[in-house]
Amino acid sequence: MLIGALEAGGTKMVCSIGTPQGGVLQRASFPTLTPDVTVPQIAEFIGKFAVAALGIGSFGPLDLNPASPTYGCITSSPKTEWRNYPLLSELRKRLGVPAAIDTDVNAAALAEATMGAGAGKGSLLYVTVGTGVGGGLMIGGKLVHGLVHPELGHMILCPMDSDPMPDGICPFHRHCLEGLACGPAIEKRWGLSAKLMTEDHPAWELEAAYLAQMCVNAICTVSPEIIVLGGGVMQQQHLFPRIRSKTLSLLGGYVASDRITPEGIDSYIIPPALGVNSGVTGALLLGAQALEAAR
């Protein structure tokens, strides 16, 4: 039984057909233009296949309150043409199958907690660091929502003295995590794409310092059993030892756990076990959950 999956991003929409266990069988990608152009393309591709359900991992912010009249809508997105767009209901209507939606990072967290790095653990924090920064949290087998949903990328950090751009680039907040540590912030700060930087570039010490602050904040607030760092920026594998070291230094021995030690932290702050497939696997799992709920 096939499931449709949509990874709805600010730059592109990736549509996949497959199953959580079997993986992706077909895939297509469309630029994220205006909804009237892009949504019909999504529906046309997925509609070619006899999918039983659809799972959506989307950029946000999203309304994820099932009791809300605007449930499944993109809300205050910087992409103004997508603001208040009813993504979930529109695709349900066009495809005529059960569908579920969550943030893109929550979808990735679901996949890593179910089938990846966090399998068998009670809680997991997944953080993606790329064009933006976001976090998804799984506790006790459930994705965490609340007043809205976690916006970890907009936690306020302490700017480093060595930062030539201490306010960051976020249009909403001064020196928030996303504004300081996302890929576009790195490029604007140094005038060079992160992909072209050597491992000894000073950008990486600064990046590790900000991501370590985030890890410490997460450890001290939600205390996840594992932290998974994914996204384009985290393809720089040399960042992991720097982040781990700085996290231990900032915590100063306060957290009494064998995971928060020089011997344990290498298996605590880690890359995604599913690699680049965390997002699509999570969207397929969301679709499978929607199908089960409909039954």
Side-chain angles (χ1 to χ4, degrees):
M1 190 171 293
L2 295 177
I3 303 291
L6 171 62
E7 297 170 90
T11 303
K12 62 182 178 179
M13 300 281 183
V14 181
C15 306
S16 300
I17 308 297
T19 66
Q21 293 74 28
V24 174
L25 304 176
Q26 297 283 342
R27 177 175 282 161
S29 178
F30 307 101
T32 304
L33 303 176
T34 57
D36 62 305
V37 173
T38 304
V39 170
Q41 292 176 318
I42 295 167
E44 181 182 4
F45 173 76
I46 295 176
K48 293 176 182 177
F49 304 90
V51 298
L54 172 68
I56 305 167
S58 177
F59 70 92
L62 300 172
D63 182 347
L64 296 178
N65 177 5
S68 168
T70 56
Y71 174 58
C73 287
I74 297 168
T75 61
S76 54
S77 170
K79 294 186 73 64
T80 54
E81 63 272 22
W82 287 85
R83 284 182 187 170
N84 304 313
Y85 184 77
L87 183 61
L88 176 63
S89 62
E90 186 63 28
L91 285 173
R92 271 181 178 162
K93 180 175 70 177
R94 287 175 179 266
L95 294 170
V97 296
I101 190 170
D102 213 314
T103 63
D104 47 5
V105 283
N106 260 356
L110 174 63
E112 287 292 331
T114 304
M115 303 174 64
K121 292 183 168 56
S123 60
L124 172 143
L125 175 66
Y126 180 95
V127 181
T128 183
V129 188
T131 304
V133 180
L137 183 62
M138 191 98 169
I139 296 179
K142 294 185 180 296
L143 290 167
V144 172
H145 303 114
L147 180 67
V148 283
H149 51 76
E151 284 285 5
L152 181 140
H154 293 276
M155 68 167 61
I156 305 302
L157 300 183
C158 179
M160 303 302 292
D161 291 340
S162 59
D163 191 346
M165 194 180 72
D167 283 350
I169 64 169
C170 176
F172 296 98
H173 316 111
R174 292 176 59 232
H175 49 82
C176 72
L177 172 61
E178 180 171 290
L180 291 169
C182 68
I186 297 172
E187 184 166 352
K188 184 172 182 180
R189 181 185 284 116
W190 302 105
L192 181 67
S193 169
K195 296 177 182 177
L196 301 177
M197 293 175 176
T198 58
E199 291 186 13
D200 61 352
H201 194 286
W204 302 123
E205 280 297 296
L206 197 60
E207 183 74 3
Y210 289 136
L211 293 176
Q213 283 192 50
M214 176 275 296
C215 288
V216 168
N217 289 340
I219 291 165
C220 292
T221 52
V222 296
S223 196
E225 291 181 40
I226 195 163
I227 296 175
V228 180
L229 304 181
V233 171
M234 297 309 304
Q235 297 298 308
Q236 304 280 343
Q237 292 293 309
H238 60 87
L239 271 173
F240 281 92
R242 301 176 198 239
I243 295 166
R244 293 165 183 149
S245 175
K246 291 178 185 297
T247 298
L248 288 174
S249 178
L250 286 170
L251 284 169
Y254 179 74
V255 177
S257 167
D258 58 4
R259 308 297 302 281
I260 312 297
T261 63
E263 297 75 27
I265 201 159
D266 284 2
S267 60
Y268 180 70
I269 298 174
I270 61 171
L274 299 174
V276 297
N277 292 315
S278 299
V280 65
T281 304
L284 289 168
L285 285 166
L286 287 171
Q289 289 179 355
L291 181 59
E292 184 64 25
R295 287 171 173 170

